[in-house]
């Protein structure tokens, strides 16, 4: 049966091909708002140094939940996340399925100093250049969308652009996508095919992850107590979207969430 991930990737191939046709790589680099010679911020270091390690996500809608916050504005939400103590922010740049854009990423870069993750379905190096020139510091590579060889090649290119790499896995088998250019491994608690979300997935995979990579737990995190439990098994980053974005004031929700994390 065809799942949503296949739809997202099929659409992404068409979208990126059109973008490349409209704007050459050379033009993209020359018109981007961030120069390639400027240094990036380390998301890995920010998470490692933080007591909470929250990557607060900007997400207007999702395939699993529909619209969460259609009117959300990056200029309001991202500074509020920064003020509330997020260690980094994730900006969804997919338009059709998540209601985001590269413009959101460029705006995010202008309004916060935090490390920024470009959250999209990356299948092609052109998207890494887009991420870099729009101000991202890190990119997500999803094992379920790539072969190990594609993952290696994209991770190498990301590093050549000074972008850190967060590799997302959902199962033990996907750990075959690990390579020396992966800076952080994210265990997605959501099955992208069925949407079934189970935070126990992070606990199941914790001890199978290599010691040297920073561990991130992704999706379905709605309870501050869970952060303390996940930290105990080695996680240092927590990617949270819906819990904050479904509320009228995502930044205030993050403040209350952080205050409730047990020491
Ligand atoms: O969120 C979805 O419904 C979704 C469906 C299909 C592919 C990806 C999807 N989400 C992307 C994400 O990785 C999440 O936005 C991120 O992990 C935060 O999850 P949550 O805190 O549950 O919003």
């Amino acid at each position: 049966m065809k799942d949503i991930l296949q739809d997202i990737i099929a659409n992404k191939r068409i979208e990126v091909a059109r973008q490349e046709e409209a704007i050459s790589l050379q033009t993209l680099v020359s018109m981007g708002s961030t120069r390639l010679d400027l240094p990036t911020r380390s998301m890995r270091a920010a998470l490692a140094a933080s007591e909470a390690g929250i990557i607060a996500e900007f997400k207007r809608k999702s395939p699993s939940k529909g619209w969460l916050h259609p009117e959300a504005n990056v200029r309001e939400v991202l500074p509020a996340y920064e003020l509330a103590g997020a260690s980094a922010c994730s900006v969804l740049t997919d338009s059709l399925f998540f209601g985001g854009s590269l413009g959101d990423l460029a705006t995010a870069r202008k309004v916060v100093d935090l490390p920024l993750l470009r959250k999209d379905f990356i299948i092609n190096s052109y998207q890494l250049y887009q991420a870099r020139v729009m101000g991202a510091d890190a990119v997500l590579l999803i094992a379920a969308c790539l072969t190990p060889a594609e993952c290696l090649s994209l991770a190498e290119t990301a590093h050549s652009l000074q972008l850190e790499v967060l590799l997302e896995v959902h199962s033990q088998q996907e750990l075959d996508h690990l390579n020396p250019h992966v800076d952080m491994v994210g265990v997605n608690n959501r099955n992208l095919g069925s949407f079934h979300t189970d935070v126990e997935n992070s606990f199941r995979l914790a001890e199978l992850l290599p010691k040297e990579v920073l561990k991130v737990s992704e999706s379905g995190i709605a309870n501050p107590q869970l952060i303390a439990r996940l930290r105990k098994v080695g996680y240092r980053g927590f990617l949270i979207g819906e819990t904050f974005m479904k509320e009228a004031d995502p930044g205030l929700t993050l403040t209350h969430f952080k205050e409730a994390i047990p020491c």
Side-chain angles (χ1 to χ4, degrees), residues 3 54 80 151 157 162 174 208:
D3 65 28
I54 294 181
C151 193
T157 306
Q162 302 179 68
E174 288 175 354
L208 303 171

Side-chain angles (χ1 to χ4, degrees), residues 57 59 62-64 98 119 190 192 195 219-220 239 241-242:
E57 184 158 276
K59 156 166 155 176
S62 73
S64 59
F98 293 87
K119 188 84 166 41
R190 181 177 290 114
L192 299 185
F195 297 154
S219 308
L239 178 60
E242 187 186 322

Side-chain angles (χ1 to χ4, degrees), residues 74-85:
V74 177
R75 286 185 187 282
E76 287 164 16
V77 175
L78 273 267
Y81 275 161
E82 187 168 43
L83 205 64

Side-chain angles (χ1 to χ4, degrees), residues 73-215:
N73 186 335
V74 177
R75 286 185 187 282
E76 287 164 16
V77 175
L78 273 267
Y81 275 161
E82 187 168 43
L83 205 64
S87 302
C89 288
S90 159
V91 180
L92 271 152
T93 54
D94 177 85
S95 159
L96 188 60
F97 296 91
F98 293 87
S101 69
L102 277 168
D104 284 338
L105 179 60
T107 303
R109 181 69 294 149
K110 289 191 187 114
V111 297
V112 292
D113 270 331
L114 294 172
L116 294 177
L117 173 72
R118 179 186 185 184
K119 188 84 166 41
D120 209 313
F121 299 82
I122 295 196
I123 47 170
N124 166 329
S125 60
Y126 183 82
Q127 294 166 286
L128 300 174
Y129 283 86
Q130 287 177 323
R132 182 69 171 98
V133 300
M134 294 301 170
D137 303 292
V139 288
L140 181 80
L141 297 181
I142 303 176
C145 304
L146 301 166
T147 65
E150 287 168 337
C151 193
L152 173 62
S153 162
L154 288 169
E156 272 173 347
T157 306
H159 268 190
S160 75
L161 293 170
Q162 302 179 68
L163 291 166
E164 286 185 336
V165 173
L166 171 60
L167 171 68
E168 175 178 303
V169 300
H170 180 68
S171 65
Q172 183 174 0
Q173 296 87 288
E174 288 175 354
L175 292 173
D176 65 356
H177 285 61
L178 274 163
N179 66 63
H181 295 277
V182 169
D183 302 288
M184 298 161 277
V185 176
V187 174
N188 201 344
N189 300 315
R190 181 177 290 114
N191 179 317
L192 299 185
S194 66
F195 297 154
H196 176 70
T197 305
D198 178 9
V199 292
E200 290 307 314
N201 199 39
S202 284
F203 292 98
R204 274 192 292 273
L205 292 193
E207 62 189 34
L208 303 171
L209 304 177
K211 300 260 173 298
E212 64 284 4
V213 293
L214 188 132
K215 298 162 191 61

